[in-house]
Amino acid sequence: MSSKRDYYEVLGVSKSTSVDELKKQYRKLALKFHPDRNKSAEAPEHFKEISEAYAVLSDTEKRQLYDQHGHAGVDGRYSRQDIFQGARGGGFDSNDVWGWRNKGGALYSLGKYDEAIKCYDKAIEIDPDNPVVWNNKGLALNSLGKYDEAITSYDKAIEIDPDDADTWNNKGLALNSLGKYDEAKKCYDRSKKLGYDGE
């Protein structure tokens, strides 16, 4: 018997949740528990759990197997790597923005920031107007201490979605790391006005 939590429970969604709603909920939780933003000891494990749940439930074939057989339906057929990467048994589509983004997220959670950035770059090639991927790339660059490049990524995400409170906060963190405290404060203030509720 699997000790894993139910994937729907992990994401706080129901079996009838649409793919679009699933994406929104995943994004919200992934940002909340992203190890670069959430410094609690449990954050990396939560982030992996959330990423794995989303990788299964956002894939039609895997979701169907999971709905029918629970964890045994996907654990027996897909390795953890397959689940994250959507490779081999999962039929990874090299033109799938979310597939590259999920793979980047999995690599990020393993501390492989350079490899994660390559995946985010692939996603950006396919869809340059995806603010989530630009934000994720910024987080990975920030983790490598490449604050100026991170800010460039955050700026691109903000240009696409100027009302994303999380991205404004992340830009503030990068500016703070560069000692640009006044600019950082403006970003934090903007983030709070937009409803940022993180730590």
Side-chain angles (χ1 to χ4, degrees):
M1 180 133 177
S2 177
S3 61
K4 285 184 183 180
R5 284 202 300 152
D6 178 78
Y7 286 147
Y8 290 100
E9 180 188 329
V10 168
L11 294 176
V13 297
S14 70
K15 287 191 175 187
S16 61
T17 300
S18 70
V19 175
D20 284 342
E21 286 300 314
L22 196 69
K23 281 179 187 176
K24 285 179 192 172
Q25 182 65 2
Y26 167 71
R27 180 181 177 211
K28 179 180 166 186
L29 291 171
L31 287 169
K32 180 179 179 182
F33 290 106
H34 201 290
D36 195 45
R37 294 185 53 228
N38 187 325
K39 301 302 179 188
S40 73
E42 300 83 26
E45 199 50 48
H46 279 308
F47 186 74
K48 285 179 196 172
E49 184 182 43
I50 291 159
S51 296
E52 184 174 319
Y54 179 73
V56 170
L57 298 182
S58 63
D59 180 292
T60 307
E61 183 184 344
K62 290 178 192 149
R63 185 172 182 171
Q64 204 169 31
L65 282 168
Y66 182 74
D67 286 347
Q68 290 173 351
H69 307 289
H71 290 294
V74 288
D75 290 351
R77 184 163 176 179
Y78 303 105
S79 71
R80 187 175 176 87
Q81 185 178 12
D82 288 334
I83 287 171
F84 276 133
Q85 296 183 3
R88 295 189 297 278
F92 182 66
D93 179 357
S94 62
N95 291 312
D96 178 19
V97 173
W98 288 98
W100 283 112
R101 187 207 174 218
N102 288 344
K103 184 176 177 182
L107 288 163
Y108 183 99
S109 70
L110 295 171
K112 297 181 177 180
Y113 307 122
D114 285 315
E115 291 177 55
I117 290 165
K118 287 177 187 171
C119 291
Y120 297 140
D121 283 340
K122 282 282 189 186
I124 288 164
E125 276 177 36
I126 299 162
D127 181 5
D129 295 323
N130 188 316
V132 177
V133 181
W134 282 106
N135 184 47
N136 286 1
K137 182 179 177 181
L139 289 168
L141 287 162
N142 200 66
S143 295
L144 290 170
K146 298 180 177 180
Y147 306 119
D148 286 315
E149 289 177 59
I151 290 165
T152 300
S153 282
Y154 297 139
D155 281 341
K156 185 64 180 174
I158 288 165
E159 179 186 318
I160 300 162
D161 182 3
D163 295 327
D164 187 327
D166 292 300
T167 305
W168 280 103
N169 184 70
N170 293 338
K171 182 180 176 182
L173 293 171
L175 286 162
N176 195 62
S177 296
L178 289 171
K180 297 180 177 181
Y181 307 118
D182 290 338
E183 290 177 61
K185 185 180 181 315
K186 286 176 187 171
C187 289
Y188 295 142
D189 288 345
R190 175 79 173 148
S191 177
K192 283 178 186 160
K193 275 186 187 170
L194 291 168
Y196 178 72
D197 59 359
E199 296 171 5

